[in-house]
Amino acid sequence: MPPPGGYYEQPADTSRFDNGEPSGILRVADAPVSTFSADVDTASYSIVRRFLNQQALPPSEAVRIEEMINAFDYDYSAPKSADEPFAADVSVFGTPWNEKTELIRIGVRGYDLEPEEVPDSNVVLLLDVSGSMNAPDKLPLLKESMKLLAGELGEDDTLAVVVYAGAAGVVLEPTGGNEKLAIREALDRLSAGGSTAGGEGIELAYDLAEQNLRKDAVNRVILATDGDFNVGVTSDERLEDLVARKRETGIYLSVLGFGAGNLNDTMMQRIAQNGNGVAAYIDDLAEARRVLVREFTSSMFPIAEDLKFQVEFNPSAVSEYRLIGYETRALREEDFDNDRIDAGDIGSGHTVTALYEVTRAGEAGSLPDRRYDEKDAAPYDPDAELAFLKIRYKRPGEDDSRLITRPITPADRTDAPSEDARFAAAVAALGEKLGRSGRADGLSYDALIEMANGAKGRDEYGDRAGFVQLVRIAESLDRPGEGD
């Protein structure tokens, strides 16, 4: 029990993070095709921000560069119709940290639903109220965050609340989204105590969602927790299987992480991916407002499912490449055309950005020469396509995927990349530094700050300015012998 008037004594830090096996540089001659699933999660950026704001470098395994990049919005052209929910926005420009390579930036923006197109919502909140949640940045922040979410619901939406600690229970039966007072009072009554019967809670939440299932609505369970499930269904694999099976019934799952000390970020990522949902980490009320208010429609309402990217590089133009980030989203080449393979979803208005670092054919690359390399390989062709981009997706409710293709050509090269392109590169550079890859060591922190400052653009909510401040903190912490 917590001391009178105090908070629960938090256990030793047992947080678990996963950024996958580091991806290396590949020869186009050996592996010309790169395939990966879309990722719209943003948890890693918020976790990195929490560490830096607490004057500590994050553990390298908590740094997922694609989630850092995709935590920001980019002004890509919006598609005009849901019939083809996005188009590719591509640019090629010099790598800020390596004068011998180029970056290929691929960006897509999801179709923005008009207000009359937004479906109704059947939402079940699954809230962790175990003893470890009794900390200022856990249950109190969770309750205020859920009130923000409830504020976005209307009279045709429903919200239910399930809690779990030593046991699971329903504290709010499905209630109209316009009944704000009843929802707020239910949230205000929550208190923390007990162990974590997460497995029992998730099954109860799904049961409640199924009772109120509406085929014409978005049916979603939102799990909010600070860490592990330690009673009931506990293994990541069993949870993944449960969530994947429920996904097939039309009930999706998103995960929100709170607090520090026992955050199972690995579990959050896996079950959110299997649940066709997003994984976000809420470190303060401003982040809650970004995820649950500003990006409510993009987080709640998918406009495309199983979104996959595949890039085939042309050996006459590119000799080496690496995909920056997406290690936990890598797919096999044959997975691209297999509609049974699950991949990421994209919501209304969501943007997804990917960066490749490439070396032009004929230039000295990072990989050593091989004794038996083909000596009569095709010479560099400055007019040749660099690569061929394929995007595969399903419209919600459909079983068969659709295909969008686009060549990446010399015409996509620019000496004056857009603010969005430069800012995405700046975020990638910080991710490389914090991930200790050594790849962006050629870009000083001062140069990185100047680069990000020059790419802030309109920055209506101050998100990009906040990133610059994080770079300044990282610079002060990232000194030889510190943070190792």
Side-chain angles (χ1 to χ4, degrees), residues 83-119:
D83 292 336
E84 190 167 288
F86 36 74
D89 187 299
V90 176
S91 62
V92 183
F93 54 98
T95 305
W97 56 83
N98 187 345
E99 62 182 13
K100 297 180 180 179
T101 64
E102 295 177 304
L103 293 181
I104 297 178
R105 179 198 48 85
I106 300 168
V108 298
R109 182 184 190 88
Y111 171 69
D112 280 295
L113 293 172
E114 298 295 337
E116 62 273 13
E117 297 176 301
V118 174

Side-chain angles (χ1 to χ4, degrees), residues 371-445:
R371 179 179 179 88
Y372 301 110
D373 271 348
E374 197 66 45
K375 302 305 180 185
D376 55 352
Y380 172 64
D381 181 356
D383 298 319
E385 291 180 358
L386 281 70
F388 192 68
L389 169 66
K390 295 194 288 187
I391 301 173
R392 191 172 286 284
Y393 70 97
K394 297 174 186 172
R395 296 179 65 177
E398 295 186 353
D399 295 325
D400 297 326
S401 65
R402 300 169 182 238
L403 181 65
I404 297 173
T405 64
R406 181 197 192 281
I408 300 174
T409 73
D412 293 312
R413 283 196 173 101
T414 177
D415 293 327
S418 67
E419 289 176 338
D420 282 343
R422 286 181 282 127
F423 190 80
V427 179
L430 179 63
E432 296 283 12
K433 287 178 174 291
L434 296 178
R436 296 17 165 219
S437 72
R439 299 191 188 282
D441 290 353
L443 185 70
S444 70
Y445 277 104

Side-chain angles (χ1 to χ4, degrees), residues 137-269:
D137 60 347
K138 295 185 179 182
L139 188 59
L141 177 59
L142 182 155
K143 290 159 67 171
E144 294 307 310
S145 300
M146 295 306 101
K147 291 176 186 177
L148 290 175
L149 170 65
E152 297 302 298
L153 302 178
E155 62 180 346
D156 295 324
D157 304 314
T158 58
L159 179 74
V161 179
V162 173
V163 298
Y164 64 93
V170 178
V171 299
L172 183 70
E173 295 287 346
T175 301
N178 59 329
E179 297 186 42
K180 309 296 185 189
L181 181 59
I183 295 170
R184 292 179 65 89
E185 288 178 343
L187 292 169
D188 283 334
R189 288 194 298 269
L190 301 181
S191 60
S195 59
T196 313
E200 181 183 347
I202 202 166
E203 290 173 337
L204 179 57
Y206 275 121
D207 287 344
L208 207 57
E210 287 174 346
Q211 293 171 25
N212 202 45
L213 185 70
R214 298 162 61 187
K215 294 298 184 183
D216 60 344
V218 170
N219 303 278
R220 189 177 296 275
V221 173
I222 299 178
L223 165 63
T225 180
D226 74 331
D228 282 325
F229 294 170
N230 53 35
V231 181
V233 179
T234 56
S235 74
D236 290 354
E237 291 76 15
R238 289 184 63 194
L239 283 168
E240 290 173 43
D241 182 63
L242 171 65
V243 169
R245 284 188 284 108
K246 296 299 184 181
R247 179 189 73 214
E248 298 304 318
T249 70
I251 301 172
Y252 297 165
L253 175 81
S254 292
V255 187
L256 304 177
F258 289 82
N262 61 330
L263 184 71
N264 190 344
D265 174 68
T266 302
M267 179 272 292
M268 286 175 49
Q269 296 295 317

